[in-house]
Amino acid sequence: MTETRPTPTRRLPAAGRPVPVSTYRVQLGPDLTLHDVADRVPYLASLGVTHVYLSPILRAAPGSTHGYDVVAHDEIEPALGGRPALDHLATVAHAAGLGLVLDIVPNHMAVPTPVWHNRALWSVLSEGSDSPYAEWFDVDWSAGDGAVLMPVLGDRIGAVLGRDELQLAEVEVPGEGLRTVLRYYDHVFPVRPGTENLSLAELVERQHYRLAYWRVADEELNYRRFFDVGTLLAVRVEHPDVFDATHRLVLELLADGVIDGLRIDHPDGLADPAGYLARLRDASGGAWVVVEKILEGDETLPADWDTAGTTGYEALWRIQQTFVDPGGAAVLDAVMHRITGDTSDAFPGIAEDAKREIVDGPLYAEVNRLTSLAAGICHDDLRLRDHTWRAVEDCLTELVVAFDRYRAYVVPGEPVHPESLDVLQTAAEHARRRLPPERAATMDVVVDLLLGREVGSAGQTRTPRREELIVRFQQTCGAVMAKGVEDTAFYRWTQLVSLCEVGGAPEQFALTPTDLSAWASRMQVSSPLGMTTLSTHDTKRGEDTRSRLGVLSELPREWSLLVDRLRAATAPYRSALLDGRTEYLLWQTLAGTWTERGPISEDRLVQYLTKAVREAKSRTTWIAPDDPYEQAVLGAARQALVDPQVIALFSEWEIRTRPAVRAATLGTKLVQLTLPGVADVYQGTEVPDPVLVDPDNRRFVDVAPLAARLVRLDDGAGPRDLADEKLLVTSRALRLRNDLPEAFVGPSAGFLPLAHSSGHSLTYARTVDGEPQVAVVATRLAAAVDRLGGWADHTVALPGADWFDVLTERPVSGGVVDVADVLDRLPVALLVRAAV
């Protein structure tokens, strides 16, 4: 039963503020403008969503394909149609009964080319710390001789000067007129007044910025960036005037009713996420706000955050792993070990090694900055002076590697929450085991500093450097976690690659229906208006790819035999350079994307594998590609796509797994759309589309064929294929949510697990004031059901009298009923309480 405790007020929008019942995410860009989205409104309305969920629309860097590289917060991106197009979309959407939700990016701005596109940054580069925008950016003005590092050069500065690649020029700068600038190919930088007549070398040294070789950024960076992306410069929205300036337009859009809610990108990058969200709630009048927060394992959303919830990654992996067969783990472990040498318990070590590599490489500058702060504090305090730079660096390195989540949320000057204390102390205990005993005393000091405790001379707790250390440590932990685990280890672990998802927990192979129901019951109380999702613009693989891969766990022995046959067939052209992990990734990638139409195109596969091996960083990287290795990988993939034996083997596999894939595809979708929360549908996922990581999952989606399919289904035609069936499930679930919002997002909505006799059925009800109004029955692990000879006499208990299945449009009796009767046409059922 749903718990009776009230939902925390921080998780609820203010009274009278709009709350989406469901959203449809559109990825705006050159191929999809705001005008284009307006043209899609009739289809989205007929699909049943209540809100169109827009990717960022503020002015972005020239040529941006995604909008997360903002350069101006006071303007709608002209390439998307500008403010007129947004107003038109809002008018069309509102007329159709739809609202708008907007994705915003408070953490960073772009360093565009030319820089003048970012007026605030151009001012800082022109005037340095005297610029009115100096406090906008998270720059350490005490480092780098007070000059902002600009790591844009293709070679070291001496070589660039020697080749005369830096030139003085007179150019027209928007808003300033003709101005003397320093040009490096397409890069243009302001010249400090009074330095124009100096020699070029002296002129370069006298600027408020330091032009440097791009590799310098990983070692000497003096500004905070988004993870390791040097062209995304962190913004200090913790300052009220910066918050006001960067949010004014968005808040006006909320106040005017143009948009109804917000999705906040990467709040963990902010200095004070809780403070930011409190300020946003205040300024927005309590609008519906969700956050892109990655919760690791059983981690919960911080209780002091003013947000309806997250964007749904914790729902994504739990739903997916409920449709994974735990009985397949041992065989899949054996296959992985046979090909890669990795053992079933190796993932934690792989993740730890990857994080350490990230700390020693792309994020060295961030850890070095932390060390400078902590070592400086120790050096200036007599009682701490014997804790050396090297000792402090060792302790901080092991501590960020040991962290098992994005951050601990210690706020300078505020009491440390018990959970934050436990997180930090647990990490410290793990780190101590990686350090020699003589580092123990230094680790104690470092932990005390990070917790804001008095350590060293009496009264030393609230100095600016100590407070900065607390904040920067947490920001660095998040970057190490994201780059080390999600962007490295997840590309190395191949037990079942669908488990390696954003926010996922691959070490937890599978969940039971009871696990999922227990989590859903908690969410119904703690975050009933957060999001649920199965696919986003950032997922490593789309939901349909993951569903196909999950079936490997249901047929592990058959998969093992298939892999052996694939290896035998491809042995003549598999180079010795092709390592086991990448080879096994290739076979699983083909299994996850092979449909009745065959494999994905060569260009999509090649693009994906190139990204995957470079992200894995084991044999090749983005900054140092190993061409022979990459050609060995891609050559094997290209030949496999046209190899008659491979084609025959995968075609047979696709036919063999088709029923299980059907059940997983429809089951995961229906469950996601009916669990507690605001259900999100990522563009195009209303029909099966086995996509991979971006840019593959951000490809243009043509909705005209989808709209035609929906019209045909609405006209009474039966579903002809899995695409029709998934569209039917999606549209009927969304429409039911729209018709009965009180059962899904209303204040009296509840979640009630239903009794069932088989672990292969997933069953629950959505209630209003405790009374079941909607019931869901889904097949879990269809291959096992088939292996057992069907449902036999297994039952599910449907409360009340009569029900109506909106998917098959037929009545279903209440009480204890046979699962086989409920699921005789589709592997899922969506039941609504029949009117009395």
PDB file of all heavy atoms in Angstrom, residues 661-692:
ATOM      1  N   VAL A 661      11.322  -9.804 -27.180  1.00  0.00           N
ATOM      2  CA  VAL A 661      11.563  -8.380 -27.434  1.00  0.00           C
ATOM      3  C   VAL A 661      10.244  -7.616 -27.424  1.00  0.00           C
ATOM      4  O   VAL A 661      10.149  -6.509 -26.862  1.00  0.00           O
ATOM      5  CB  VAL A 661      12.294  -8.197 -28.776  1.00  0.00           C
ATOM      6  CG1 VAL A 661      12.263  -6.738 -29.222  1.00  0.00           C
ATOM      7  CG2 VAL A 661      13.733  -8.687 -28.670  1.00  0.00           C
ATOM      8  N   ARG A 662       9.224  -8.193 -28.030  1.00  0.00           N
ATOM      9  CA  ARG A 662       7.897  -7.554 -28.045  1.00  0.00           C
ATOM     10  C   ARG A 662       7.399  -7.306 -26.629  1.00  0.00           C
ATOM     11  O   ARG A 662       6.957  -6.195 -26.284  1.00  0.00           O
ATOM     12  CB  ARG A 662       6.924  -8.447 -28.811  1.00  0.00           C
ATOM     13  CG  ARG A 662       5.493  -7.956 -28.829  1.00  0.00           C
ATOM     14  CD  ARG A 662       4.593  -9.006 -29.466  1.00  0.00           C
ATOM     15  NE  ARG A 662       3.209  -8.582 -29.571  1.00  0.00           N
ATOM     16  CZ  ARG A 662       2.175  -9.330 -29.196  1.00  0.00           C
ATOM     17  NH1 ARG A 662       2.369 -10.545 -28.679  1.00  0.00           N
ATOM     18  NH2 ARG A 662       0.951  -8.884 -29.342  1.00  0.00           N
ATOM     19  N   ALA A 663       7.470  -8.327 -25.788  1.00  0.00           N
ATOM     20  CA  ALA A 663       6.975  -8.184 -24.418  1.00  0.00           C
ATOM     21  C   ALA A 663       7.788  -7.157 -23.639  1.00  0.00           C
ATOM     22  O   ALA A 663       7.227  -6.337 -22.896  1.00  0.00           O
ATOM     23  CB  ALA A 663       7.012  -9.536 -23.714  1.00  0.00           C
ATOM     24  N   ALA A 664       9.113  -7.162 -23.795  1.00  0.00           N
ATOM     25  CA  ALA A 664       9.958  -6.204 -23.068  1.00  0.00           C
ATOM     26  C   ALA A 664       9.732  -4.785 -23.562  1.00  0.00           C
ATOM     27  O   ALA A 664       9.691  -3.833 -22.770  1.00  0.00           O
ATOM     28  CB  ALA A 664      11.423  -6.597 -23.222  1.00  0.00           C
ATOM     29  N   THR A 665       9.595  -4.625 -24.869  1.00  0.00           N
ATOM     30  CA  THR A 665       9.379  -3.293 -25.446  1.00  0.00           C
ATOM     31  C   THR A 665       8.084  -2.684 -24.943  1.00  0.00           C
ATOM     32  O   THR A 665       8.045  -1.524 -24.504  1.00  0.00           O
ATOM     33  CB  THR A 665       9.354  -3.385 -26.980  1.00  0.00           C
ATOM     34  OG1 THR A 665      10.608  -3.886 -27.448  1.00  0.00           O
ATOM     35  CG2 THR A 665       9.082  -2.027 -27.608  1.00  0.00           C
ATOM     36  N   LEU A 666       7.001  -3.454 -24.986  1.00  0.00           N
ATOM     37  CA  LEU A 666       5.702  -2.939 -24.564  1.00  0.00           C
ATOM     38  C   LEU A 666       5.601  -2.855 -23.040  1.00  0.00           C
ATOM     39  O   LEU A 666       5.005  -1.917 -22.500  1.00  0.00           O
ATOM     40  CB  LEU A 666       4.586  -3.823 -25.114  1.00  0.00           C
ATOM     41  CG  LEU A 666       4.532  -3.964 -26.642  1.00  0.00           C
ATOM     42  CD1 LEU A 666       3.347  -4.839 -27.051  1.00  0.00           C
ATOM     43  CD2 LEU A 666       4.444  -2.600 -27.318  1.00  0.00           C
ATOM     44  N   GLY A 667       6.210  -3.813 -22.362  1.00  0.00           N
ATOM     45  CA  GLY A 667       6.127  -3.823 -20.906  1.00  0.00           C
ATOM     46  C   GLY A 667       6.860  -2.668 -20.263  1.00  0.00           C
ATOM     47  O   GLY A 667       6.322  -1.982 -19.384  1.00  0.00           O
ATOM     48  N   THR A 668       8.094  -2.422 -20.682  1.00  0.00           N
ATOM     49  CA  THR A 668       8.842  -1.319 -20.089  1.00  0.00           C
ATOM     50  C   THR A 668       8.160   0.013 -20.374  1.00  0.00           C
ATOM     51  O   THR A 668       8.117   0.896 -19.523  1.00  0.00           O
ATOM     52  CB  THR A 668      10.290  -1.294 -20.612  1.00  0.00           C
ATOM     53  OG1 THR A 668      10.290  -1.299 -22.044  1.00  0.00           O
ATOM     54  CG2 THR A 668      11.087  -2.470 -20.090  1.00  0.00           C
ATOM     55  N   LYS A 669       7.601   0.147 -21.583  1.00  0.00           N
ATOM     56  CA  LYS A 669       6.955   1.411 -21.933  1.00  0.00           C
ATOM     57  C   LYS A 669       5.709   1.645 -21.091  1.00  0.00           C
ATOM     58  O   LYS A 669       5.506   2.736 -20.538  1.00  0.00           O
ATOM     59  CB  LYS A 669       6.583   1.426 -23.421  1.00  0.00           C
ATOM     60  CG  LYS A 669       6.243   2.821 -23.952  1.00  0.00           C
ATOM     61  CD  LYS A 669       7.448   3.726 -23.872  1.00  0.00           C
ATOM     62  CE  LYS A 669       7.226   5.091 -24.475  1.00  0.00           C
ATOM     63  NZ  LYS A 669       8.425   5.943 -24.329  1.00  0.00           N
ATOM     64  N   LEU A 670       4.870   0.641 -20.968  1.00  0.00           N
ATOM     65  CA  LEU A 670       3.646   0.814 -20.197  1.00  0.00           C
ATOM     66  C   LEU A 670       3.954   1.078 -18.730  1.00  0.00           C
ATOM     67  O   LEU A 670       3.328   1.944 -18.098  1.00  0.00           O
ATOM     68  CB  LEU A 670       2.762  -0.425 -20.327  1.00  0.00           C
ATOM     69  CG  LEU A 670       1.424  -0.368 -19.567  1.00  0.00           C
ATOM     70  CD1 LEU A 670       0.571   0.814 -20.052  1.00  0.00           C
ATOM     71  CD2 LEU A 670       0.662  -1.678 -19.708  1.00  0.00           C
ATOM     72  N   VAL A 671       4.911   0.378 -18.184  1.00  0.00           N
ATOM     73  CA  VAL A 671       5.266   0.592 -16.779  1.00  0.00           C
ATOM     74  C   VAL A 671       5.789   2.011 -16.574  1.00  0.00           C
ATOM     75  O   VAL A 671       5.400   2.699 -15.636  1.00  0.00           O
ATOM     76  CB  VAL A 671       6.297  -0.465 -16.320  1.00  0.00           C
ATOM     77  CG1 VAL A 671       6.882  -0.104 -14.973  1.00  0.00           C
ATOM     78  CG2 VAL A 671       5.635  -1.842 -16.265  1.00  0.00           C
ATOM     79  N   GLN A 672       6.678   2.455 -17.457  1.00  0.00           N
ATOM     80  CA  GLN A 672       7.203   3.818 -17.316  1.00  0.00           C
ATOM     81  C   GLN A 672       6.107   4.874 -17.379  1.00  0.00           C
ATOM     82  O   GLN A 672       6.134   5.870 -16.657  1.00  0.00           O
ATOM     83  CB  GLN A 672       8.243   4.088 -18.400  1.00  0.00           C
ATOM     84  CG  GLN A 672       8.871   5.474 -18.319  1.00  0.00           C
ATOM     85  CD  GLN A 672       8.383   6.413 -19.410  1.00  0.00           C
ATOM     86  OE1 GLN A 672       8.164   5.998 -20.545  1.00  0.00           O
ATOM     87  NE2 GLN A 672       8.212   7.673 -19.085  1.00  0.00           N
ATOM     88  N   LEU A 673       5.117   4.649 -18.226  1.00  0.00           N
ATOM     89  CA  LEU A 673       4.061   5.644 -18.402  1.00  0.00           C
ATOM     90  C   LEU A 673       3.026   5.623 -17.286  1.00  0.00           C
ATOM     91  O   LEU A 673       2.180   6.518 -17.222  1.00  0.00           O
ATOM     92  CB  LEU A 673       3.362   5.419 -19.748  1.00  0.00           C
ATOM     93  CG  LEU A 673       4.210   5.669 -21.002  1.00  0.00           C
ATOM     94  CD1 LEU A 673       3.442   5.269 -22.252  1.00  0.00           C
ATOM     95  CD2 LEU A 673       4.643   7.127 -21.081  1.00  0.00           C
ATOM     96  N   THR A 674       3.095   4.623 -16.400  1.00  0.00           N
ATOM     97  CA  THR A 674       2.061   4.522 -15.363  1.00  0.00           C
ATOM     98  C   THR A 674       2.599   4.503 -13.943  1.00  0.00           C
ATOM     99  O   THR A 674       1.818   4.483 -12.987  1.00  0.00           O
ATOM    100  CB  THR A 674       1.208   3.255 -15.593  1.00  0.00           C
ATOM    101  OG1 THR A 674       2.066   2.112 -15.702  1.00  0.00           O
ATOM    102  CG2 THR A 674       0.369   3.382 -16.862  1.00  0.00           C
ATOM    103  N   LEU A 675       3.912   4.495 -13.767  1.00  0.00           N
ATOM    104  CA  LEU A 675       4.480   4.592 -12.421  1.00  0.00           C
ATOM    105  C   LEU A 675       4.290   6.003 -11.871  1.00  0.00           C
ATOM    106  O   LEU A 675       3.997   6.937 -12.616  1.00  0.00           O
ATOM    107  CB  LEU A 675       5.974   4.254 -12.461  1.00  0.00           C
ATOM    108  CG  LEU A 675       6.375   2.787 -12.560  1.00  0.00           C
ATOM    109  CD1 LEU A 675       7.896   2.669 -12.529  1.00  0.00           C
ATOM    110  CD2 LEU A 675       5.768   1.949 -11.443  1.00  0.00           C
ATOM    111  N   PRO A 676       4.464   6.186 -10.558  1.00  0.00           N
ATOM    112  CA  PRO A 676       4.369   7.531  -9.993  1.00  0.00           C
ATOM    113  C   PRO A 676       5.320   8.499 -10.678  1.00  0.00           C
ATOM    114  O   PRO A 676       6.480   8.182 -10.918  1.00  0.00           O
ATOM    115  CB  PRO A 676       4.756   7.321  -8.525  1.00  0.00           C
ATOM    116  CG  PRO A 676       4.340   5.913  -8.241  1.00  0.00           C
ATOM    117  CD  PRO A 676       4.632   5.167  -9.508  1.00  0.00           C
ATOM    118  N   GLY A 677       4.805   9.684 -10.997  1.00  0.00           N
ATOM    119  CA  GLY A 677       5.615  10.713 -11.623  1.00  0.00           C
ATOM    120  C   GLY A 677       4.986  11.240 -12.889  1.00  0.00           C
ATOM    121  O   GLY A 677       3.953  10.761 -13.357  1.00  0.00           O
ATOM    122  N   VAL A 678       5.626  12.261 -13.444  1.00  0.00           N
ATOM    123  CA  VAL A 678       5.224  12.851 -14.716  1.00  0.00           C
ATOM    124  C   VAL A 678       5.933  12.076 -15.821  1.00  0.00           C
ATOM    125  O   VAL A 678       7.161  12.060 -15.884  1.00  0.00           O
ATOM    126  CB  VAL A 678       5.602  14.343 -14.772  1.00  0.00           C
ATOM    127  CG1 VAL A 678       5.327  14.924 -16.145  1.00  0.00           C
ATOM    128  CG2 VAL A 678       4.848  15.115 -13.692  1.00  0.00           C
ATOM    129  N   ALA A 679       5.160  11.422 -16.678  1.00  0.00           N
ATOM    130  CA  ALA A 679       5.737  10.530 -17.688  1.00  0.00           C
ATOM    131  C   ALA A 679       6.270  11.322 -18.874  1.00  0.00           C
ATOM    132  O   ALA A 679       5.555  12.130 -19.469  1.00  0.00           O
ATOM    133  CB  ALA A 679       4.682   9.532 -18.158  1.00  0.00           C
ATOM    134  N   ASP A 680       7.528  11.065 -19.234  1.00  0.00           N
ATOM    135  CA  ASP A 680       8.134  11.726 -20.383  1.00  0.00           C
ATOM    136  C   ASP A 680       8.331  10.738 -21.516  1.00  0.00           C
ATOM    137  O   ASP A 680       8.747   9.598 -21.298  1.00  0.00           O
ATOM    138  CB  ASP A 680       9.491  12.326 -20.003  1.00  0.00           C
ATOM    139  CG  ASP A 680      10.192  12.960 -21.197  1.00  0.00           C
ATOM    140  OD1 ASP A 680       9.530  13.744 -21.907  1.00  0.00           O
ATOM    141  OD2 ASP A 680      11.383  12.662 -21.430  1.00  0.00           O
ATOM    142  N   VAL A 681       8.032  11.189 -22.738  1.00  0.00           N
ATOM    143  CA  VAL A 681       8.280  10.413 -23.948  1.00  0.00           C
ATOM    144  C   VAL A 681       9.324  11.173 -24.760  1.00  0.00           C
ATOM    145  O   VAL A 681       9.104  12.326 -25.139  1.00  0.00           O
ATOM    146  CB  VAL A 681       6.994  10.229 -24.778  1.00  0.00           C
ATOM    147  CG1 VAL A 681       7.301   9.498 -26.086  1.00  0.00           C
ATOM    148  CG2 VAL A 681       5.942   9.468 -23.975  1.00  0.00           C
ATOM    149  N   TYR A 682      10.463  10.543 -25.012  1.00  0.00           N
ATOM    150  CA  TYR A 682      11.484  11.171 -25.836  1.00  0.00           C
ATOM    151  C   TYR A 682      11.101  11.041 -27.302  1.00  0.00           C
ATOM    152  O   TYR A 682      10.549  10.025 -27.725  1.00  0.00           O
ATOM    153  CB  TYR A 682      12.846  10.529 -25.580  1.00  0.00           C
ATOM    154  CG  TYR A 682      13.974  11.204 -26.321  1.00  0.00           C
ATOM    155  CD1 TYR A 682      14.341  12.508 -26.012  1.00  0.00           C
ATOM    156  CD2 TYR A 682      14.658  10.556 -27.335  1.00  0.00           C
ATOM    157  CE1 TYR A 682      15.368  13.145 -26.697  1.00  0.00           C
ATOM    158  CE2 TYR A 682      15.696  11.168 -28.023  1.00  0.00           C
ATOM    159  CZ  TYR A 682      16.039  12.471 -27.702  1.00  0.00           C
ATOM    160  OH  TYR A 682      17.047  13.099 -28.390  1.00  0.00           O
ATOM    161  N   GLN A 683      11.386  12.063 -28.065  1.00  0.00           N
ATOM    162  CA  GLN A 683      10.944  12.134 -29.459  1.00  0.00           C
ATOM    163  C   GLN A 683      11.208  10.841 -30.231  1.00  0.00           C
ATOM    164  O   GLN A 683      12.316  10.311 -30.245  1.00  0.00           O
ATOM    165  CB  GLN A 683      11.629  13.303 -30.156  1.00  0.00           C
ATOM    166  CG  GLN A 683      13.150  13.243 -30.169  1.00  0.00           C
ATOM    167  CD  GLN A 683      13.777  14.435 -30.870  1.00  0.00           C
ATOM    168  OE1 GLN A 683      13.189  15.498 -30.985  1.00  0.00           O
ATOM    169  NE2 GLN A 683      15.000  14.255 -31.358  1.00  0.00           N
ATOM    170  N   GLY A 684      10.137  10.331 -30.841  1.00  0.00           N
ATOM    171  CA  GLY A 684      10.251   9.154 -31.681  1.00  0.00           C
ATOM    172  C   GLY A 684      10.142   7.827 -30.968  1.00  0.00           C
ATOM    173  O   GLY A 684      10.000   6.784 -31.621  1.00  0.00           O
ATOM    174  N   THR A 685      10.194   7.822 -29.631  1.00  0.00           N
ATOM    175  CA  THR A 685      10.182   6.544 -28.917  1.00  0.00           C
ATOM    176  C   THR A 685       8.775   5.992 -28.729  1.00  0.00           C
ATOM    177  O   THR A 685       8.609   4.954 -28.082  1.00  0.00           O
ATOM    178  CB  THR A 685      10.854   6.675 -27.540  1.00  0.00           C
ATOM    179  OG1 THR A 685      10.154   7.653 -26.755  1.00  0.00           O
ATOM    180  CG2 THR A 685      12.300   7.082 -27.673  1.00  0.00           C
ATOM    181  N   GLU A 686       7.763   6.656 -29.312  1.00  0.00           N
ATOM    182  CA  GLU A 686       6.427   6.067 -29.288  1.00  0.00           C
ATOM    183  C   GLU A 686       6.333   4.862 -30.223  1.00  0.00           C
ATOM    184  O   GLU A 686       5.350   4.112 -30.186  1.00  0.00           O
ATOM    185  CB  GLU A 686       5.361   7.114 -29.619  1.00  0.00           C
ATOM    186  CG  GLU A 686       5.508   7.793 -30.951  1.00  0.00           C
ATOM    187  CD  GLU A 686       6.312   9.088 -30.879  1.00  0.00           C
ATOM    188  OE1 GLU A 686       7.374   9.102 -30.198  1.00  0.00           O
ATOM    189  OE2 GLU A 686       5.899  10.081 -31.496  1.00  0.00           O
ATOM    190  N   VAL A 687       7.347   4.686 -31.061  1.00  0.00           N
ATOM    191  CA  VAL A 687       7.482   3.467 -31.863  1.00  0.00           C
ATOM    192  C   VAL A 687       8.897   2.933 -31.640  1.00  0.00           C
ATOM    193  O   VAL A 687       9.786   3.679 -31.234  1.00  0.00           O
ATOM    194  CB  VAL A 687       7.244   3.729 -33.366  1.00  0.00           C
ATOM    195  CG1 VAL A 687       5.810   4.158 -33.626  1.00  0.00           C
ATOM    196  CG2 VAL A 687       8.230   4.748 -33.909  1.00  0.00           C
ATOM    197  N   PRO A 688       9.129   1.641 -31.895  1.00  0.00           N
ATOM    198  CA  PRO A 688      10.473   1.098 -31.674  1.00  0.00           C
ATOM    199  C   PRO A 688      11.506   1.773 -32.577  1.00  0.00           C
ATOM    200  O   PRO A 688      11.293   1.919 -33.778  1.00  0.00           O
ATOM    201  CB  PRO A 688      10.314  -0.388 -32.033  1.00  0.00           C
ATOM    202  CG  PRO A 688       8.871  -0.668 -31.869  1.00  0.00           C
ATOM    203  CD  PRO A 688       8.171   0.595 -32.284  1.00  0.00           C
ATOM    204  N   ASP A 689      12.601   2.174 -31.984  1.00  0.00           N
ATOM    205  CA  ASP A 689      13.686   2.796 -32.737  1.00  0.00           C
ATOM    206  C   ASP A 689      14.986   2.487 -31.998  1.00  0.00           C
ATOM    207  O   ASP A 689      15.336   3.169 -31.045  1.00  0.00           O
ATOM    208  CB  ASP A 689      13.478   4.312 -32.838  1.00  0.00           C
ATOM    209  CG  ASP A 689      14.495   4.969 -33.760  1.00  0.00           C
ATOM    210  OD1 ASP A 689      15.193   4.247 -34.495  1.00  0.00           O
ATOM    211  OD2 ASP A 689      14.604   6.210 -33.744  1.00  0.00           O
ATOM    212  N   PRO A 690      15.694   1.420 -32.394  1.00  0.00           N
ATOM    213  CA  PRO A 690      16.902   1.017 -31.669  1.00  0.00           C
ATOM    214  C   PRO A 690      18.076   1.949 -31.947  1.00  0.00           C
ATOM    215  O   PRO A 690      18.866   1.738 -32.862  1.00  0.00           O
ATOM    216  CB  PRO A 690      17.165  -0.402 -32.187  1.00  0.00           C
ATOM    217  CG  PRO A 690      16.564  -0.427 -33.541  1.00  0.00           C
ATOM    218  CD  PRO A 690      15.386   0.499 -33.496  1.00  0.00           C
ATOM    219  N   VAL A 691      18.177   2.994 -31.153  1.00  0.00           N
ATOM    220  CA  VAL A 691      19.217   3.993 -31.349  1.00  0.00           C
ATOM    221  C   VAL A 691      20.328   3.814 -30.326  1.00  0.00           C
ATOM    222  O   VAL A 691      20.176   3.133 -29.309  1.00  0.00           O
ATOM    223  CB  VAL A 691      18.644   5.428 -31.253  1.00  0.00           C
ATOM    224  CG1 VAL A 691      17.614   5.673 -32.331  1.00  0.00           C
ATOM    225  CG2 VAL A 691      18.058   5.689 -29.871  1.00  0.00           C
ATOM    226  N   LEU A 692      21.438   4.483 -30.594  1.00  0.00           N
ATOM    227  CA  LEU A 692      22.609   4.436 -29.727  1.00  0.00           C
ATOM    228  C   LEU A 692      22.835   5.823 -29.128  1.00  0.00           C
ATOM    229  O   LEU A 692      21.935   6.654 -29.118  1.00  0.00           O
ATOM    230  CB  LEU A 692      23.808   3.944 -30.534  1.00  0.00           C
ATOM    231  CG  LEU A 692      23.618   2.523 -31.106  1.00  0.00           C
ATOM    232  CD1 LEU A 692      24.629   2.216 -32.189  1.00  0.00           C
ATOM    233  CD2 LEU A 692      23.686   1.481 -29.986  1.00  0.00           C
TER     234      LEU A 692
END
